[in-house]
Amino acid sequence: MNVHEFSAKFEAVGGMALGMLGLLFLGSGHAEASGAYMRVMERTSTPAGHVYYCAQEPQACSRYGEGAVVLTQASWDQLLEINHRVNQSIKPVEDGRIDTWSVYVTKGDCEDYALTKQRELLRVGWPSDALLITTAYLQDGTYHAVLLVRTDRGEFVLDNLNSLVLPWEKVKYHWNKRQAVGNPRVWQRIAGAPRSTANNPVAGLRLRGRQP
């Protein structure tokens, strides 16, 4: 069964499919665990919403633990459970002109999903080096944010727009920037993304769908 066939089954049976998805990645074939990692480049501007979030909750933006996660059946199941639970717990609502990044909300946008998943995984002992908020653009140009999880079998995307947890290279977004390994307050440009022309290290406020 390939990942696209499994997606249809997931929609049909819901959360009961979570354990089956683990077998897709961790079974004898390791079909989708490619071991591929994003290539990141120079330091770039920090999204304004993340600057304000860190100012309000500095402990949440500290470094906790080093390195990537060793992906076992248990850690994979934990990843799937938290991704599914957070996706179900937040009603998707866009921010207004002021882009506010928050955790544990009942209504929110993509950054709120990603931050809540990051916080939940930190809470159960995952290292911050493995949990990177990452921004991208959808095929229609809409700005988006996800949580990228670094493992010994590659990097995976936790996305509020997709019930599946997929390797990053299987997610056809235009990748932009992400938190740096080792310092959650620093952001780096992802290879292939346009270089920032701003001299200010903090990105300005933006409307949805515009450069953060």
Side-chain angles (χ1 to χ4, degrees), residues 131-148:
L131 306 171
L132 309 178
I133 306 298
T134 302
T135 65
Y137 293 93
L138 307 184
Q139 294 298 322
D140 64 1
T142 300
Y143 166 78
H144 189 46
V146 299
L147 180 65
L148 189 80

Side-chain angles (χ1 to χ4, degrees), residues 17-208:
L18 292 177
M20 294 173 59
L21 184 57
L23 297 178
L24 176 66
F25 288 97
L26 297 174
S28 58
H30 306 307
E32 297 292 339
S34 67
Y37 299 88
M38 277 185 179
R39 188 161 63 96
V40 293
M41 310 299 285
E42 72 275 6
R43 180 172 178 170
T44 190
S45 58
T46 302
H50 193 250
V51 174
Y52 301 147
Y53 170 74
C54 291
Q56 293 174 343
E57 301 198 45
Q59 289 186 338
C61 297
S62 299
R63 188 185 188 192
Y64 301 98
E66 301 179 6
V69 170
V70 175
L71 198 59
T72 64
Q73 185 67 59
S75 60
W76 180 252
D77 289 345
Q78 191 174 51
L79 195 68
L80 292 170
E81 190 278 326
I82 287 176
N83 183 63
H84 178 73
R85 173 160 47 85
V86 173
N87 281 354
Q88 295 298 309
S89 69
I90 300 175
K91 179 180 179 181
V93 176
E94 292 184 14
D95 283 335
R97 185 173 181 83
I98 303 299
D99 187 33
T100 303
W101 292 31
S102 305
V103 293
Y104 299 121
V105 294
T106 57
K107 299 179 181 180
D109 63 1
C110 54
E111 299 99 348
D112 305 331
Y113 286 92
L115 285 173
T116 302
K117 293 171 188 179
Q118 183 184 60
R119 183 75 68 87
E120 280 290 279
L121 288 164
L122 286 171
R123 187 180 62 82
V124 297
W126 291 50
S128 60
D129 280 5
L131 306 171
L132 309 178
I133 306 298
T134 302
T135 65
Y137 293 93
L138 307 184
Q139 294 298 322
D140 64 1
T142 300
Y143 166 78
H144 189 46
V146 299
L147 180 65
L148 189 80
V149 177
R150 299 174 61 244
T151 80
D152 64 332
R153 298 192 182 183
E155 296 176 335
F156 296 88
V157 176
L158 275 62
D159 191 349
N160 64 295
L161 298 182
N162 194 340
S163 56
L164 300 178
V165 175
L166 298 175
W168 75 271
E169 72 273 18
K170 299 292 184 182
V171 180
K172 302 306 180 185
Y173 294 160
H174 300 293
W175 297 104
N176 184 33
K177 63 179 76 173
R178 77 179 196 184
Q179 289 178 289
V181 174
N183 189 341
R185 294 175 180 266
V186 171
W187 287 64
Q188 291 177 285
R189 183 176 67 88
I190 297 168
R195 286 180 171 83
S196 173
T197 57
N199 294 323
N200 191 331
V202 178
L205 296 179
R206 53 141 184 87
L207 295 174
R208 181 174 175 81

